[in-house]
Amino acid sequence: MLLPISWLRTLVDLEGIDNDTIEKSLFSCGLEVEERALFVGDVQGVVVGELLSVCKMENSEHLQICRVNCGTYGEDIQIVTGASNIKAGDRVPVALHGATVYGKEGKVVTIKNGKLLGTPSNGMLCSGEELGIDDDWYEGAGVYGILILAPDAPIGADVREVLELNDEVWDISVTANLPHCQSVWGIARELSALLNREAQEPVLDYTATAEGKENISVTVEAPDLCPRYIAHYVKDIRIAPSPCWMRRRLILTGHKPINTVVDITNYVLTELGQPMHAFDLSTLAGEKIVVRRARDGEPITTLDEHEFRLTEENLVICDAEKPVALAGVMGGLNSEIRPDTSEVLFECAKFMRDNIRRTSRALGQSSDSSRRYEKGVDEYTTERAIARALHLVQELKCGTVTTTHVDCRAAAPVPTVITTTFEKINGVLGIEVPRREIISILERMNYDVIAVDDLITVTAPGYREDIEDYPDLAEDVIKMYGYEHITPRLMEGSAITAGGYSLLQSQTLAAKEALVRQGFFELINYSFYSEEELALLRLPEGDPRLNAVRIENPLSEKYGIMRTTLIPSLLGIVSHNGKRGHEDGRFFELANIFTPSGKKGVLPTERQTLTLALWGKEESFFTAKGALEALGDTFGLTFTYERGAEPFLHPGATARVFLGGEEIGILGQVSYECVADFEILGGVFLCELNYEALSAHFPELIRYTPIPKFPSVTRDLALVADEQVSCGEITEVIRSACKSVTEVRLFDVYRSEQIGAGKKSMAFGLTFTPTGDTPLSGEAVDKFVEKILKSLAYRLQIAIR
């Protein structure tokens, strides 16, 4: 939320309090100032100058030489300009040497003394654009030429002071638990209570000076979504620009001034936090308003010219025939205020925040109104906001307020009354706040307070619908009393622990670091995606991964189900990077997947899963396998592999991954069809592992193994095996037959008629490493090889070639 400090100071007495103190005070109220900025902070060194003379330059058709009086900065400064809308006696903005202004496309430009066609020019005369303003801020600022200031503008004064450009605008973070603070008045009210300074509520009085229309009607068919709706008819509308003071405040808070009627609704929204809308009555069929749920497929085009198809989850404002506004989000294009509008119907309503939030997210349509409704708007402010709007109509003389006032209320609000004790309030805070101080704070925050001995009865103000019980009172007390009064201490029964990572956390961190050393970057995705993304994996009917937990209230249609595999998320990221020119990369994600329990009220089963994705010209099935084995080496683990199959992986490049005889995942190349569906160019290689099963094999303590004193010995074996025997099976037999084998590497596969049908030759490189104080002799290695060959012949019917 944008907060102009000048506006804030008109609503609460902050005389003698500097902006730094105000910022600290807001922080005490739970309102963080995310950014403090001058409205035109890049404009520096521009002063008011009086043109003493203006004459044409002899050797130019359009340039003029000006003599300018800038007071203490120089009483006779020569400046050359190409502007033609100036004359002697005008007072104009002058950017002197070293000044900064806005140039083309809003870029900041530093002014320097120089020459134009050989004539010295010691500065520049400025237009409104170069000062960052237009006609909405100051009349004449939009003219193509030099900005002409008021005749009484002080010579030599800083232009920011003269044009009121030196206002600070703060970006305030208003959290969901402070809905009553999402307005200038709401923040002023909090500061008034904290600093014990007088606050002046905006003027709300108005007088209905004309008869209204009896046939205007309002019907609320969905009171559960709209507990209150107020409408007031105003006639004799005069569409014109708003006064300068209103336009400037709207600009400072990020609104573009349009006309008096629209500006009033935006002004009330910013000042009081109540969204409003004004309907052109001539466009309302039957001069009727109906608040109801939308019908499935019902169309509406909003003010920003976006067309939507609605559902019964959406709330709409309709006339006798059609929707004219998307409730709480945006008005309809068919009822907008036009230059010829002569009568309007102002609306103020309370819509339920959960419904507005769902509608806004489902349609991808957000506005200042929807953002406020999502945090919560109270009935108390709704009633006061319509009064404020009608007061402004009369103050700006842009319409005639009539007697037609319709107020639809589901039920009269019941004040929140809390009876508790000072002991309970202090018990929440853990400190002893004096009783008189508690009473004073609550009264300054507009609570009605009755205290008898230790008993206190409190009635919350109408705008505090968030108040439920004494812990809420304690929160209000401490933020006004000061958090610095809280004494840090341990909770009862607690003790200081050593801290640090648990064993599993340390192992997980080591696993991630091992992958990072292999060039991987970690991803963190949402825990959900769409059914359409999951369908791209082409899983067959009945596959358990299609049985997903469905979200009742998803953020959007893209996030409708919980993840049953991480692969669609990673492939989506790979696709995103590829489209942006990243031709290679390595990603991993360690996160939970979710399996429905199948029982009502029972939470789904969560399982940690590790997924790797590699793509690029240098990547292959074997680089992916190498990255996996590097992870295994970190923990002294050895994986084995068997041929596998997955509908989204290439049938000739897919392997099931085993550890300790247990299948823990899959490794392979993404199929060409799946790559095309995800719009990825080039090959992608995946590995998805059951991380819980993997981490169960992590050793609690990784022991150091000394480097062998003697060199290793290598031998190559060419083996003839049946076609169906896998490399993994052979590797497992070799390792189990001889403990001195530290590496088994397949380096060649050969098939020919000489070997025989259904047979293949596989060449392995074996590394034997001595473990003791004796080097490996050739005779010892021969015995190892003989033992390995016997084991291969016995278990797999494999012979040496």
Side-chain angles (χ1 to χ4, degrees):
M1 170 188 160
L2 297 180
L3 174 70
I5 299 305
S6 61
W7 192 351
L8 179 68
R9 288 181 179 273
T10 66
L11 296 177
V12 60
D13 176 19
L14 297 173
E15 185 69 28
I17 301 177
D18 60 34
N19 286 354
D20 290 340
T21 303
I22 295 174
E23 181 181 4
K24 293 177 182 177
S25 300
L26 289 177
F27 187 77
S28 297
C29 296
L31 298 164
E32 182 179 358
V33 180
E34 294 189 337
E35 183 181 6
R36 288 174 56 175
L38 288 171
F39 173 52
V40 287
D42 293 319
V43 175
Q44 305 283 343
V46 182
V47 300
V48 176
E50 182 181 29
L51 299 178
L52 302 175
S53 65
V54 179
C55 62
K56 287 189 175 295
M57 184 185 294
E58 292 183 358
N59 56 344
S60 173
E61 294 183 0
H62 66 280
L63 293 180
Q64 301 187 89
I65 301 175
C66 305
R67 313 297 301 189
V68 188
N69 175 15
C70 293
T72 58
Y73 296 95
E75 296 183 353
D76 188 8
I77 300 173
Q78 177 171 295
I79 297 177
V80 178
T81 180
S84 59
N85 67 322
I86 52 175
K87 64 183 185 302
D90 285 342
R91 297 194 179 184
V92 298
V94 181
L96 300 174
H97 178 76
T100 54
V101 296
Y102 294 110
K104 293 182 179 180
E105 300 180 354
K107 294 181 179 179
V108 179
V109 176
T110 301
I111 303 303
K112 297 180 179 180
N113 295 339
K115 291 184 179 181
L116 289 176
L117 299 181
T119 300
S121 181
N122 301 314
M124 183 183 75
L125 308 185
C126 299
S127 66
E129 182 181 9
E130 287 156 343
L131 299 177
I133 59 175
D134 56 19
D135 281 333
D136 286 333
W137 187 270
Y138 190 88
E139 187 175 353
V143 172
Y144 181 74
I146 304 304
L147 172 61
I148 308 301
L149 301 174
D152 59 351
I155 295 174
D158 191 326
V159 161
R160 294 179 302 177
E161 298 284 346
V162 174
L163 298 180
E164 300 180 21
L165 300 176
N166 57 343
D167 199 357
E168 274 198 32
V169 180
W170 294 3
D171 190 354
I172 308 292
S173 175
V174 181
T175 52
N177 66 321
L178 297 172
H180 59 287
C181 292
Q182 50 185 349
S183 65
V184 181
W185 168 238
I187 292 176
R189 195 166 47 198
E190 291 289 294
L191 280 177
S192 170
L194 178 70
L195 302 174
N196 201 12
R197 292 293 188 98
E198 183 180 354
Q200 183 63 51
E201 185 175 13
V203 182
L204 306 177
D205 64 289
Y206 68 92
T207 303
T209 58
E211 290 295 321
K213 288 187 174 183
E214 295 182 356
N215 59 328
I216 292 177
S217 67
V218 176
T219 304
V220 178
E221 297 181 358
D224 56 325
L225 303 182
C226 176
R228 192 168 193 185
Y229 191 97
I230 304 175
H232 200 109
Y233 167 56
V234 178
K235 66 178 184 179
D236 302 331
I237 292 295
R238 292 176 287 280
I239 301 296
S242 300
C244 183
W245 63 266
M246 178 177 281
R247 296 201 308 269
R248 288 184 177 181
R249 287 182 176 178
L250 289 174
I251 291 170
L252 289 171
T253 54
H255 295 278
K256 179 174 177 56
I258 299 175
N259 57 56
T260 45
V261 174
V262 177
D263 290 352
I264 284 173
T265 62
N266 286 331
Y267 189 85
V268 172
L269 165 72
T270 306
E271 185 179 48
L272 298 181
Q274 170 66 56
M276 289 191 64
H277 190 67
F279 295 104
D280 184 333
L281 191 64
S282 66
T283 66
L284 296 181
E287 296 185 338
K288 183 178 183 180
I289 288 288
V290 179
V291 185
R292 61 169 173 80
R293 285 177 167 83
R295 301 182 179 95
D296 274 336
E298 192 168 28
I300 187 172
T301 302
T302 51
L303 286 171
D304 57 0
E305 300 185 5
H306 288 168
E307 184 175 346
F308 299 99
R309 293 285 173 175
L310 307 178
T311 70
E312 292 182 353
E313 288 291 319
N314 308 132
L315 187 68
V316 289
I317 314 298
C318 305
D319 58 16
E321 300 173 354
K322 62 189 178 301
V324 293
L326 190 56
V329 180
M330 192 173 290
L333 186 63
N334 51 16
S335 64
E336 68 176 334
I337 302 300
R338 298 178 173 86
D340 60 347
T341 297
S342 61
E343 49 185 357
V344 301
L345 193 66
F346 282 102
E347 72 152 25
C348 256
K350 172 181 170 61
F351 300 119
M352 301 308 291
R353 59 185 181 182
D354 54 341
N355 177 260
I356 302 303
R357 182 170 59 251
R358 286 196 300 270
T359 295
S360 177
R361 292 182 178 179
L363 300 179
Q365 185 78 343
S366 181
S367 64
D368 287 331
S369 296
S370 68
R371 286 189 286 272
R372 280 172 168 81
Y373 275 121
E374 286 178 21
K375 288 186 174 73
V377 171
D378 55 87
E379 286 192 43
Y380 174 89
T381 303
T382 300
E383 187 173 340
R384 303 179 84 75
I386 195 75
R388 178 60 172 161
L390 297 176
H391 170 85
L392 290 172
V393 167
Q394 292 186 325
E395 181 180 341
L396 304 186
K397 298 179 181 179
C398 61
T400 302
V401 179
T402 73
T403 57
T404 301
H405 182 90
V406 184
D407 189 347
C408 297
R409 175 185 282 179
V414 179
T416 301
V417 179
I418 300 170
T419 299
T420 185
T421 64
F422 291 102
E423 183 182 2
K424 284 186 176 181
I425 294 175
N426 283 326
V428 173
L429 303 177
I431 59 174
E432 192 69 25
V433 182
R435 296 185 181 187
R436 288 185 179 180
E437 186 66 25
I438 291 177
I439 294 172
S440 173
I441 288 172
L442 293 177
E443 287 179 340
R444 296 202 308 265
M445 298 190 75
N446 299 317
Y447 289 90
D448 290 331
V449 182
I450 300 175
V452 179
D453 296 327
D454 189 49
L455 200 65
I456 179 172
T457 300
V458 176
T459 303
Y463 58 85
R464 293 300 302 275
E465 293 184 352
D466 59 308
I467 300 300
E468 295 180 357
D469 209 341
Y470 70 88
D472 298 314
L473 302 180
E475 180 183 357
D476 277 350
V477 167
I478 194 59
K479 72 181 183 183
M480 296 295 162
Y481 187 61
Y483 291 100
E484 68 274 9
H485 290 94
I486 295 178
T487 303
R489 60 184 176 85
L490 288 174
M491 297 177 63
E492 293 182 7
S494 62
I496 298 176
T497 61
Y501 291 118
S502 67
L503 176 62
L504 181 58
Q505 288 173 326
S506 298
Q507 291 172 335
T508 298
L509 185 60
K512 290 182 177 182
E513 289 175 346
L515 291 171
V516 170
R517 288 194 297 271
Q518 295 296 312
F520 284 85
F521 290 88
E522 183 177 8
L523 301 180
I524 300 177
N525 285 299
Y526 285 124
S527 295
F528 19 74
Y529 43 48
S530 66
E531 293 187 67
E532 289 74 15
E533 288 177 284
L534 183 59
L536 295 180
L537 296 188
R538 303 169 180 261
L539 300 175
E541 186 176 350
D543 191 298
R545 287 168 291 190
L546 294 176
N547 183 23
V549 177
R550 280 162 175 76
I551 309 298
E552 291 184 0
N553 181 24
L555 294 174
S556 73
E557 293 179 0
K558 290 176 59 178
Y559 305 114
I561 60 174
M562 304 296 289
R563 295 193 290 182
T564 56
T565 169
L566 307 185
I567 290 174
S569 299
L570 260 72
L571 290 179
I573 297 296
V574 171
S575 173
H576 177 86
N577 277 267
K579 291 175 181 177
R580 281 153 182 78
H582 301 295
E583 298 179 352
D584 54 39
R586 291 185 170 194
F587 291 144
F588 79 90
E589 183 173 14
L590 176 59
N592 286 349
I593 60 172
F594 303 84
T595 305
S597 63
K599 298 179 181 178
K600 188 175 182 180
V602 178
L603 294 175
T605 301
E606 301 182 34
R607 192 189 76 198
Q608 275 197 305
T609 301
L610 174 64
T611 304
L612 316 180
L614 311 85
W615 82 100
K617 293 180 179 179
E618 303 299 322
E619 303 294 0
S620 67
F621 176 89
F622 296 104
T623 61
K625 179 172 175 283
L628 175 60
E629 292 182 345
L631 173 62
D633 290 343
T634 302
F635 298 97
L637 305 178
T638 301
F639 299 106
T640 57
Y641 310 90
E642 292 184 8
R643 184 183 297 275
E646 284 284 2
F648 52 86
L649 295 179
H650 192 291
T654 302
R656 297 154 60 199
V657 182
F658 290 82
L659 181 60
E662 176 188 9
E663 184 175 352
I664 64 166
I666 196 78
L667 169 70
Q669 179 180 352
V670 181
S671 67
Y672 301 132
E673 296 81 6
C674 189
V675 164
D677 289 342
F678 278 92
E679 300 179 353
I680 300 172
L681 296 176
V684 182
F685 302 89
L686 290 175
C687 177
E688 185 162 75
L689 304 176
N690 178 343
Y691 185 76
E692 293 180 3
L694 171 65
S695 60
H697 292 270
F698 289 167
E700 292 189 11
L701 182 65
I702 299 177
R703 298 184 180 277
Y704 167 73
T705 302
I707 297 174
K709 295 180 179 180
F710 302 99
S712 298
V713 177
T714 60
R715 291 288 178 88
D716 294 342
L717 292 180
L719 306 174
V720 177
D722 290 338
E723 190 67 52
Q724 67 270 19
V725 176
S726 68
C727 174
E729 291 175 300
I730 297 174
T731 300
E732 183 180 2
V733 171
I734 292 174
R735 287 186 177 276
S736 61
C738 179
K739 302 301 181 185
S740 294
V741 174
T742 54
E743 183 182 1
V744 180
R745 183 174 61 87
L746 174 69
F747 64 86
D748 184 50
V749 178
Y750 176 71
R751 296 176 177 85
S752 71
E753 295 181 359
Q754 296 175 349
I755 295 173
K759 298 286 186 179
K760 61 184 175 181
S761 172
M762 304 175 72
F764 290 88
L766 309 185
T767 300
F768 300 88
T769 303
T771 57
D773 296 330
T774 305
L776 286 177
S777 63
E779 183 180 350
V781 174
D782 289 341
K783 289 182 178 180
F784 291 155
V785 171
E786 184 179 352
K787 184 178 179 182
I788 289 171
L789 291 175
K790 286 182 179 179
S791 184
L792 288 170
Y794 177 73
R795 295 177 60 180
L796 298 176
Q797 292 74 53
I798 290 177
I800 191 168
R801 183 179 171 189

